[in-house]
Amino acid sequence: MTTIRDVSRVAGVSVATVSRAMTRPEKVSEKTREKVLAAIAETKYKPDVSARNFSTRKSRTIVVLVPDISNPFFSRVIRGIEHTAQRVGYSVLLGDTRGDPSIEDSYAGMVEARLADGIIQLNGRLPFDGAEETPVPLVNACDCVDRDDIPTIALENAKAARAMTQHLLSLGHRRIAVVKGPNDSSLTRERLRGYAEALAEEAIELDDALIAEGDFSAASGENAATDLLSLQQKPTAIFCFNDEMAMGVMHHAKQLGFSVPADLSVVGFDDIQFAQYCDPPLTTIRQPAESFGSKAMTVLLGILQGEAPTVMRQHLPYEIVIRQSTGVAP
Amino acid sequence: MTTIRDVSRVAGVSVATVSRAMTRPEKVSEKTREKVLAAIAETKYKPDVSARNFSTRKSRTIVVLVPDISNPFFSRVIRGIEHTAQRVGYSVLLGDTRGDPSIEDSYAGMVEARLADGIIQLNGRLPFDGAEETPVPLVNACDCVDRDDIPTIALENAKAARAMTQHLLSLGHRRIAVVKGPNDSSLTRERLRGYAEALAEEAIELDDALIAEGDFSAASGENAATDLLSLQQKPTAIFCFNDEMAMGVMHHAKQLGFSVPADLSVVGFDDIQFAQYCDPPLTTIRQPAESFGSKAMTVLLGILQGEAPTVMRQHLPYEIVIRQSTGVAP
DNA sequence: GTGAAAGCGCTAACAA
DNA sequence: TTGTTAGCGCTTTCAC
């Protein structure tokens, strides 16, 4: 293995100069820089970045905590993170946590172990058991913990859900069911709030029977559809808190003989790629997945460079995408 | 920051003993081990893993090169990698390469930079420009380079494609189109071979007009459908080399007024989660995505532990999943 | 602008 | 079983 020593010998300079020539070229004279560069080429020298990181006490690596990487929404967020990280010479360690707090905590431990400089958490939980101050650089995106000392990239979930509910209302729907996510998710709470607000505006009473629980999987959408569609007073529209559940609902509704949207309108959330290939194509709320990732990475980068984040909460725009899974109430 | 020195002072032993107590507990007496453990707890010591890695010249990290992490098939493969890595204390660095050779090479450089110990390549290309020997521990999965010195986890793509074509043939189809992937992918070549073999068995001549090019995206499936379905002699079945393209084909065919499967059978490859939620649900070839990942990781782990891989090519099982997008030829 | 030298926190010979 | 000590390859003062 060739080290910085070898290069310094070949170039006839000290190791310090070689180091400078690589990391702060303006600190060495043009002549020596060229000598060093030539020596590097001649010896085929590749710096040992792990030694450098050790020496500088940085890793130029961040870890991203994701509940499930095979979820198409999250994988796009991760792509956003990765691409901006790549551009500035950072690497990203993948922490697929399945939402398991102990796995989250163990990944978060990587920054104390100096394997990573910071964390992007895509789940709504702080990955250190019980600390009231965040001991490591962290930014929160997508789902979020409700704390104003943690930089957060989020959608205005309540507003978006309200807008979608209003769309349904405007089509004449009065019995609008919801397939929500887990209760401990702020996503669920916020969207539920927006839904309730929209109903309240029209003086429609909230009916608990119309609120089904899901876990963001298509299968849970199917289950919810079973319950909702066997109700005495069936809903004429179902608002699912993500597209996968909506696909499950739509699939099952059609199996039961319902026609979408003639008998039943179905809407989702996220606008994953497959939403447009559903039959009928799914009306949904588009989230800028890659932007979540790149914004989160940008904010984290700022923190790692010692800047205090100026805004603690960035809102990304959503867009109601109306396709063919919604129609006027029967 | 508390270091191993602090612990050694508190425990009243040498740093070497502390180090041993942590990494090879059986090398120290029970009594000292307890002293050390107590001191670690007392000082809240967290080993600096980056220093340890530097010292041992290992990173316990691997990098996975993936053309597109937002592809649902790949993201499941990655999940397989990640979960088995996690289990043995390895981390995985994400290299989303968009198939770009220069990005692949730069990620591969991380092992020379000692940031990673090995590579899992999910694309069919060697990530070092021009080297004829692989300079770093590498295993190949999913798509593959045709070299027998590189451990590979693959599907018997030709066999699977032949079986699927036979299924179509058995339904009476004679004009079977293909939407293939990029030509430089061995996946494409192998599947094409299997397709051709099946046709040959029935003495059906290969018709180039029936072979459309795609890039594994749903949009490219739509394009292919446009071409294929405007042919003078239309196909009665279309075999797509992944599910996304099949979804694009099906979507577009329905828009053109074709009924699937009455007028046109459509099949895919992969069995991504959404295949079963298509309308009609998609007949496809199931690949064990997570297994690709975990097998690849296991083989790489073996290599990193100095074992010579026993089998250079592992084949994973596929399964023809017949749903409702295929029917007898019109 | 350049060099000498002192670490960074850990592991692993080697000696005791 | 334990301690002493010499690195690992780099960066970074501090002199010159």
Side-chain angles (χ1 to χ4, degrees), chain B residues 2 16 33 45 49-50 53 58 60 75 85 107 114 123 164 166 197 204 211 217 267 276-277 284 287 296:
Chain B
T2 127
R33 195 187 327 144
Y45 170 66
V49 179
S50 121
N53 288 346
K58 307 210 166 323
R60 294 187 76 81
S75 60
Y107 270 108
R114 289 200 188 298
N123 195 4
M164 182 56 101
Q166 285 166 341
E197 284 173 7
I204 298 177
I211 299 185
S217 74
V267 305
Q276 59 183 298
Y277 293 103
T284 187
Q287 296 201 65

PDB file of all heavy atoms in Angstrom, chain B residues 2 16 33 45 49-50 53 58 60 75 85 107 114 123 164 166 197 204 211 217 267 276-277 284 287 296:
ATOM      1  N   THR B   2     -14.935  10.764  26.529  1.00  0.00           N
ATOM      2  CA  THR B   2     -14.227   9.760  27.332  1.00  0.00           C
ATOM      3  C   THR B   2     -13.622   8.701  26.415  1.00  0.00           C
ATOM      4  O   THR B   2     -14.270   8.188  25.524  1.00  0.00           O
ATOM      5  CB  THR B   2     -15.159   9.125  28.397  1.00  0.00           C
ATOM      6  OG1 THR B   2     -15.112   7.724  28.269  1.00  0.00           O
ATOM      7  CG2 THR B   2     -16.589   9.610  28.241  1.00  0.00           C
ATOM      8  N   ALA B  16      -4.825  -1.846  27.188  1.00  0.00           N
ATOM      9  CA  ALA B  16      -4.887  -3.111  26.465  1.00  0.00           C
ATOM     10  C   ALA B  16      -5.937  -4.024  27.083  1.00  0.00           C
ATOM     11  O   ALA B  16      -6.715  -4.678  26.384  1.00  0.00           O
ATOM     12  CB  ALA B  16      -3.528  -3.788  26.472  1.00  0.00           C
ATOM     13  N   ARG B  33     -12.647  -8.314  34.093  1.00  0.00           N
ATOM     14  CA  ARG B  33     -13.705  -7.991  33.147  1.00  0.00           C
ATOM     15  C   ARG B  33     -14.803  -7.189  33.837  1.00  0.00           C
ATOM     16  O   ARG B  33     -15.286  -6.190  33.330  1.00  0.00           O
ATOM     17  CB  ARG B  33     -14.280  -9.266  32.548  1.00  0.00           C
ATOM     18  CG  ARG B  33     -15.118  -9.019  31.308  1.00  0.00           C
ATOM     19  CD  ARG B  33     -15.801 -10.283  30.840  1.00  0.00           C
ATOM     20  NE  ARG B  33     -14.985 -11.461  31.121  1.00  0.00           N
ATOM     21  CZ  ARG B  33     -15.475 -12.626  31.475  1.00  0.00           C
ATOM     22  NH1 ARG B  33     -16.778 -12.792  31.583  1.00  0.00           N
ATOM     23  NH2 ARG B  33     -14.676 -13.650  31.740  1.00  0.00           N
ATOM     24  N   TYR B  45     -18.588   5.289  28.837  1.00  0.00           N
ATOM     25  CA  TYR B  45     -17.678   5.187  27.696  1.00  0.00           C
ATOM     26  C   TYR B  45     -18.349   4.570  26.473  1.00  0.00           C
ATOM     27  O   TYR B  45     -19.049   3.564  26.573  1.00  0.00           O
ATOM     28  CB  TYR B  45     -16.467   4.350  28.095  1.00  0.00           C
ATOM     29  CG  TYR B  45     -15.572   3.963  26.966  1.00  0.00           C
ATOM     30  CD1 TYR B  45     -14.852   4.915  26.261  1.00  0.00           C
ATOM     31  CD2 TYR B  45     -15.438   2.617  26.606  1.00  0.00           C
ATOM     32  CE1 TYR B  45     -14.012   4.553  25.222  1.00  0.00           C
ATOM     33  CE2 TYR B  45     -14.602   2.239  25.570  1.00  0.00           C
ATOM     34  CZ  TYR B  45     -13.896   3.207  24.877  1.00  0.00           C
ATOM     35  OH  TYR B  45     -13.074   2.835  23.859  1.00  0.00           O
ATOM     36  N   VAL B  49     -15.493   3.861  17.321  1.00  0.00           N
ATOM     37  CA  VAL B  49     -15.409   2.786  16.341  1.00  0.00           C
ATOM     38  C   VAL B  49     -14.564   3.197  15.137  1.00  0.00           C
ATOM     39  O   VAL B  49     -13.904   2.374  14.514  1.00  0.00           O
ATOM     40  CB  VAL B  49     -16.812   2.348  15.887  1.00  0.00           C
ATOM     41  CG1 VAL B  49     -16.725   1.243  14.854  1.00  0.00           C
ATOM     42  CG2 VAL B  49     -17.626   1.893  17.074  1.00  0.00           C
ATOM     43  N   SER B  50     -14.587   4.486  14.855  1.00  0.00           N
ATOM     44  CA  SER B  50     -13.799   4.929  13.713  1.00  0.00           C
ATOM     45  C   SER B  50     -12.303   4.735  13.998  1.00  0.00           C
ATOM     46  O   SER B  50     -11.540   4.334  13.125  1.00  0.00           O
ATOM     47  CB  SER B  50     -14.143   6.381  13.382  1.00  0.00           C
ATOM     48  OG  SER B  50     -13.031   7.209  13.458  1.00  0.00           O
ATOM     49  N   ASN B  53     -11.710   0.995  13.720  1.00  0.00           N
ATOM     50  CA  ASN B  53     -11.650   0.582  12.318  1.00  0.00           C
ATOM     51  C   ASN B  53     -10.321   0.976  11.689  1.00  0.00           C
ATOM     52  O   ASN B  53      -9.711   0.203  10.952  1.00  0.00           O
ATOM     53  CB  ASN B  53     -12.791   1.214  11.529  1.00  0.00           C
ATOM     54  CG  ASN B  53     -14.126   0.603  11.870  1.00  0.00           C
ATOM     55  OD1 ASN B  53     -14.196  -0.460  12.488  1.00  0.00           O
ATOM     56  ND2 ASN B  53     -15.194   1.273  11.479  1.00  0.00           N
ATOM     57  N   LYS B  58     -10.163  -2.313   9.059  1.00  0.00           N
ATOM     58  CA  LYS B  58     -11.448  -2.812   8.532  1.00  0.00           C
ATOM     59  C   LYS B  58     -12.491  -1.734   8.784  1.00  0.00           C
ATOM     60  O   LYS B  58     -12.323  -0.912   9.667  1.00  0.00           O
ATOM     61  CB  LYS B  58     -11.922  -4.053   9.279  1.00  0.00           C
ATOM     62  CG  LYS B  58     -10.941  -5.173   9.370  1.00  0.00           C
ATOM     63  CD  LYS B  58     -11.677  -6.482   9.420  1.00  0.00           C
ATOM     64  CE  LYS B  58     -10.724  -7.635   9.173  1.00  0.00           C
ATOM     65  NZ  LYS B  58      -9.686  -7.331   8.172  1.00  0.00           N
ATOM     66  N   ARG B  60     -15.998  -2.735   8.498  1.00  0.00           N
ATOM     67  CA  ARG B  60     -17.281  -3.421   8.740  1.00  0.00           C
ATOM     68  C   ARG B  60     -18.422  -2.690   8.036  1.00  0.00           C
ATOM     69  O   ARG B  60     -19.512  -2.525   8.595  1.00  0.00           O
ATOM     70  CB  ARG B  60     -17.565  -3.569  10.235  1.00  0.00           C
ATOM     71  CG  ARG B  60     -16.576  -4.487  10.935  1.00  0.00           C
ATOM     72  CD  ARG B  60     -16.953  -4.758  12.370  1.00  0.00           C
ATOM     73  NE  ARG B  60     -18.049  -5.709  12.507  1.00  0.00           N
ATOM     74  CZ  ARG B  60     -17.916  -7.021  12.442  1.00  0.00           C
ATOM     75  NH1 ARG B  60     -16.743  -7.556  12.202  1.00  0.00           N
ATOM     76  NH2 ARG B  60     -18.951  -7.810  12.583  1.00  0.00           N
ATOM     77  N   SER B  75     -35.313  -2.085  -4.203  1.00  0.00           N
ATOM     78  CA  SER B  75     -35.374  -1.668  -2.811  1.00  0.00           C
ATOM     79  C   SER B  75     -35.620  -2.877  -1.910  1.00  0.00           C
ATOM     80  O   SER B  75     -35.144  -2.911  -0.781  1.00  0.00           O
ATOM     81  CB  SER B  75     -36.393  -0.556  -2.594  1.00  0.00           C
ATOM     82  OG  SER B  75     -37.672  -0.961  -2.962  1.00  0.00           O
ATOM     83  N   ALA B  85     -26.898  -7.725   6.942  1.00  0.00           N
ATOM     84  CA  ALA B  85     -25.725  -6.961   7.373  1.00  0.00           C
ATOM     85  C   ALA B  85     -25.887  -6.556   8.837  1.00  0.00           C
ATOM     86  O   ALA B  85     -24.987  -6.742   9.654  1.00  0.00           O
ATOM     87  CB  ALA B  85     -25.541  -5.729   6.505  1.00  0.00           C
ATOM     88  N   TYR B 107     -17.889   5.102  -6.351  1.00  0.00           N
ATOM     89  CA  TYR B 107     -18.306   4.375  -5.158  1.00  0.00           C
ATOM     90  C   TYR B 107     -17.389   3.193  -4.888  1.00  0.00           C
ATOM     91  O   TYR B 107     -17.059   2.882  -3.745  1.00  0.00           O
ATOM     92  CB  TYR B 107     -19.755   3.902  -5.283  1.00  0.00           C
ATOM     93  CG  TYR B 107     -20.731   4.916  -4.764  1.00  0.00           C
ATOM     94  CD1 TYR B 107     -21.534   5.650  -5.612  1.00  0.00           C
ATOM     95  CD2 TYR B 107     -20.831   5.157  -3.400  1.00  0.00           C
ATOM     96  CE1 TYR B 107     -22.417   6.593  -5.130  1.00  0.00           C
ATOM     97  CE2 TYR B 107     -21.713   6.094  -2.905  1.00  0.00           C
ATOM     98  CZ  TYR B 107     -22.504   6.803  -3.780  1.00  0.00           C
ATOM     99  OH  TYR B 107     -23.368   7.740  -3.289  1.00  0.00           O
ATOM    100  N   ARG B 114     -10.615   2.685   2.017  1.00  0.00           N
ATOM    101  CA  ARG B 114     -10.851   2.021   3.304  1.00  0.00           C
ATOM    102  C   ARG B 114     -12.131   2.463   3.994  1.00  0.00           C
ATOM    103  O   ARG B 114     -12.239   2.366   5.204  1.00  0.00           O
ATOM    104  CB  ARG B 114      -9.686   2.272   4.263  1.00  0.00           C
ATOM    105  CG  ARG B 114      -8.424   1.549   3.899  1.00  0.00           C
ATOM    106  CD  ARG B 114      -7.527   1.450   5.122  1.00  0.00           C
ATOM    107  NE  ARG B 114      -6.229   0.920   4.783  1.00  0.00           N
ATOM    108  CZ  ARG B 114      -6.034  -0.297   4.270  1.00  0.00           C
ATOM    109  NH1 ARG B 114      -7.053  -1.090   4.022  1.00  0.00           N
ATOM    110  NH2 ARG B 114      -4.821  -0.707   3.989  1.00  0.00           N
ATOM    111  N   ASN B 123     -25.867  -4.241 -10.610  1.00  0.00           N
ATOM    112  CA  ASN B 123     -25.907  -3.935 -12.025  1.00  0.00           C
ATOM    113  C   ASN B 123     -24.942  -4.873 -12.749  1.00  0.00           C
ATOM    114  O   ASN B 123     -24.058  -5.450 -12.138  1.00  0.00           O
ATOM    115  CB  ASN B 123     -25.493  -2.473 -12.221  1.00  0.00           C
ATOM    116  CG  ASN B 123     -25.849  -1.949 -13.589  1.00  0.00           C
ATOM    117  OD1 ASN B 123     -26.478  -2.647 -14.380  1.00  0.00           O
ATOM    118  ND2 ASN B 123     -25.436  -0.735 -13.873  1.00  0.00           N
ATOM    119  N   MET B 164     -42.244 -18.822 -19.167  1.00  0.00           N
ATOM    120  CA  MET B 164     -43.339 -17.869 -19.331  1.00  0.00           C
ATOM    121  C   MET B 164     -43.840 -17.863 -20.776  1.00  0.00           C
ATOM    122  O   MET B 164     -45.050 -17.820 -21.022  1.00  0.00           O
ATOM    123  CB  MET B 164     -42.866 -16.474 -18.922  1.00  0.00           C
ATOM    124  CG  MET B 164     -43.949 -15.417 -19.023  1.00  0.00           C
ATOM    125  SD  MET B 164     -45.445 -15.824 -18.064  1.00  0.00           S
ATOM    126  CE  MET B 164     -45.167 -14.790 -16.618  1.00  0.00           C
ATOM    127  N   GLN B 166     -43.704 -20.307 -22.799  1.00  0.00           N
ATOM    128  CA  GLN B 166     -44.444 -21.560 -22.979  1.00  0.00           C
ATOM    129  C   GLN B 166     -45.863 -21.434 -22.443  1.00  0.00           C
ATOM    130  O   GLN B 166     -46.813 -21.952 -23.028  1.00  0.00           O
ATOM    131  CB  GLN B 166     -43.716 -22.713 -22.277  1.00  0.00           C
ATOM    132  CG  GLN B 166     -42.477 -23.171 -23.041  1.00  0.00           C
ATOM    133  CD  GLN B 166     -41.570 -24.054 -22.209  1.00  0.00           C
ATOM    134  OE1 GLN B 166     -41.640 -24.063 -20.975  1.00  0.00           O
ATOM    135  NE2 GLN B 166     -40.689 -24.810 -22.881  1.00  0.00           N
ATOM    136  N   GLU B 197     -35.994 -19.574 -27.539  1.00  0.00           N
ATOM    137  CA  GLU B 197     -35.988 -21.032 -27.428  1.00  0.00           C
ATOM    138  C   GLU B 197     -37.401 -21.599 -27.426  1.00  0.00           C
ATOM    139  O   GLU B 197     -37.700 -22.573 -28.107  1.00  0.00           O
ATOM    140  CB  GLU B 197     -35.262 -21.467 -26.150  1.00  0.00           C
ATOM    141  CG  GLU B 197     -33.753 -21.358 -26.245  1.00  0.00           C
ATOM    142  CD  GLU B 197     -33.082 -21.625 -24.893  1.00  0.00           C
ATOM    143  OE1 GLU B 197     -33.797 -22.019 -23.930  1.00  0.00           O
ATOM    144  OE2 GLU B 197     -31.861 -21.424 -24.808  1.00  0.00           O
ATOM    145  N   ILE B 204     -41.950 -21.539 -34.319  1.00  0.00           N
ATOM    146  CA  ILE B 204     -42.442 -20.204 -34.659  1.00  0.00           C
ATOM    147  C   ILE B 204     -41.248 -19.314 -34.956  1.00  0.00           C
ATOM    148  O   ILE B 204     -40.279 -19.291 -34.187  1.00  0.00           O
ATOM    149  CB  ILE B 204     -43.256 -19.606 -33.503  1.00  0.00           C
ATOM    150  CG1 ILE B 204     -44.486 -20.475 -33.232  1.00  0.00           C
ATOM    151  CG2 ILE B 204     -43.664 -18.160 -33.812  1.00  0.00           C
ATOM    152  CD1 ILE B 204     -45.312 -20.024 -32.071  1.00  0.00           C
ATOM    153  N   ILE B 211     -40.311  -7.226 -31.269  1.00  0.00           N
ATOM    154  CA  ILE B 211     -39.401  -6.994 -30.143  1.00  0.00           C
ATOM    155  C   ILE B 211     -39.197  -5.501 -29.943  1.00  0.00           C
ATOM    156  O   ILE B 211     -38.562  -4.831 -30.756  1.00  0.00           O
ATOM    157  CB  ILE B 211     -38.068  -7.717 -30.375  1.00  0.00           C
ATOM    158  CG1 ILE B 211     -38.358  -9.220 -30.492  1.00  0.00           C
ATOM    159  CG2 ILE B 211     -37.118  -7.434 -29.228  1.00  0.00           C
ATOM    160  CD1 ILE B 211     -37.149 -10.087 -30.600  1.00  0.00           C
ATOM    161  N   SER B 217     -38.819   1.172 -17.287  1.00  0.00           N
ATOM    162  CA  SER B 217     -39.746   2.133 -16.682  1.00  0.00           C
ATOM    163  C   SER B 217     -41.144   1.932 -17.255  1.00  0.00           C
ATOM    164  O   SER B 217     -41.314   1.472 -18.391  1.00  0.00           O
ATOM    165  CB  SER B 217     -39.289   3.566 -16.976  1.00  0.00           C
ATOM    166  OG  SER B 217     -39.544   3.892 -18.322  1.00  0.00           O
ATOM    167  N   VAL B 267     -47.898  -9.964 -19.708  1.00  0.00           N
ATOM    168  CA  VAL B 267     -47.200 -10.547 -18.551  1.00  0.00           C
ATOM    169  C   VAL B 267     -45.963  -9.722 -18.222  1.00  0.00           C
ATOM    170  O   VAL B 267     -45.415  -9.027 -19.068  1.00  0.00           O
ATOM    171  CB  VAL B 267     -46.798 -12.015 -18.785  1.00  0.00           C
ATOM    172  CG1 VAL B 267     -47.999 -12.855 -19.164  1.00  0.00           C
ATOM    173  CG2 VAL B 267     -45.713 -12.123 -19.848  1.00  0.00           C
ATOM    174  N   GLN B 276     -50.082  -7.436  -8.070  1.00  0.00           N
ATOM    175  CA  GLN B 276     -51.351  -8.066  -7.706  1.00  0.00           C
ATOM    176  C   GLN B 276     -52.484  -7.063  -7.580  1.00  0.00           C
ATOM    177  O   GLN B 276     -53.644  -7.445  -7.504  1.00  0.00           O
ATOM    178  CB  GLN B 276     -51.205  -8.862  -6.415  1.00  0.00           C
ATOM    179  CG  GLN B 276     -50.763  -8.032  -5.238  1.00  0.00           C
ATOM    180  CD  GLN B 276     -50.557  -8.881  -3.991  1.00  0.00           C
ATOM    181  OE1 GLN B 276     -51.485  -9.507  -3.481  1.00  0.00           O
ATOM    182  NE2 GLN B 276     -49.311  -8.912  -3.519  1.00  0.00           N
ATOM    183  N   TYR B 277     -52.144  -5.776  -7.552  1.00  0.00           N
ATOM    184  CA  TYR B 277     -53.189  -4.763  -7.442  1.00  0.00           C
ATOM    185  C   TYR B 277     -53.537  -4.126  -8.780  1.00  0.00           C
ATOM    186  O   TYR B 277     -54.348  -3.219  -8.848  1.00  0.00           O
ATOM    187  CB  TYR B 277     -52.788  -3.712  -6.411  1.00  0.00           C
ATOM    188  CG  TYR B 277     -52.756  -4.292  -5.027  1.00  0.00           C
ATOM    189  CD1 TYR B 277     -51.552  -4.607  -4.415  1.00  0.00           C
ATOM    190  CD2 TYR B 277     -53.939  -4.577  -4.354  1.00  0.00           C
ATOM    191  CE1 TYR B 277     -51.524  -5.168  -3.148  1.00  0.00           C
ATOM    192  CE2 TYR B 277     -53.923  -5.145  -3.094  1.00  0.00           C
ATOM    193  CZ  TYR B 277     -52.717  -5.441  -2.487  1.00  0.00           C
ATOM    194  OH  TYR B 277     -52.699  -6.008  -1.249  1.00  0.00           O
ATOM    195  N   THR B 284     -47.083 -12.914 -13.831  1.00  0.00           N
ATOM    196  CA  THR B 284     -45.679 -12.496 -13.826  1.00  0.00           C
ATOM    197  C   THR B 284     -44.773 -13.606 -13.290  1.00  0.00           C
ATOM    198  O   THR B 284     -45.244 -14.696 -12.964  1.00  0.00           O
ATOM    199  CB  THR B 284     -45.528 -11.207 -12.985  1.00  0.00           C
ATOM    200  OG1 THR B 284     -44.209 -10.698 -13.109  1.00  0.00           O
ATOM    201  CG2 THR B 284     -45.842 -11.460 -11.528  1.00  0.00           C
ATOM    202  N   GLN B 287     -39.648 -13.243  -8.369  1.00  0.00           N
ATOM    203  CA  GLN B 287     -38.252 -13.380  -7.978  1.00  0.00           C
ATOM    204  C   GLN B 287     -38.146 -13.143  -6.476  1.00  0.00           C
ATOM    205  O   GLN B 287     -38.783 -12.240  -5.955  1.00  0.00           O
ATOM    206  CB  GLN B 287     -37.389 -12.322  -8.653  1.00  0.00           C
ATOM    207  CG  GLN B 287     -37.307 -12.399 -10.146  1.00  0.00           C
ATOM    208  CD  GLN B 287     -36.065 -11.672 -10.641  1.00  0.00           C
ATOM    209  OE1 GLN B 287     -34.948 -12.068 -10.360  1.00  0.00           O
ATOM    210  NE2 GLN B 287     -36.267 -10.595 -11.373  1.00  0.00           N
ATOM    211  N   ALA B 296     -26.421 -12.512  -1.298  1.00  0.00           N
ATOM    212  CA  ALA B 296     -25.255 -11.744  -1.747  1.00  0.00           C
ATOM    213  C   ALA B 296     -24.443 -11.290  -0.552  1.00  0.00           C
ATOM    214  O   ALA B 296     -23.218 -11.405  -0.531  1.00  0.00           O
ATOM    215  CB  ALA B 296     -25.703 -10.547  -2.573  1.00  0.00           C
TER     216      ALA B 296
END
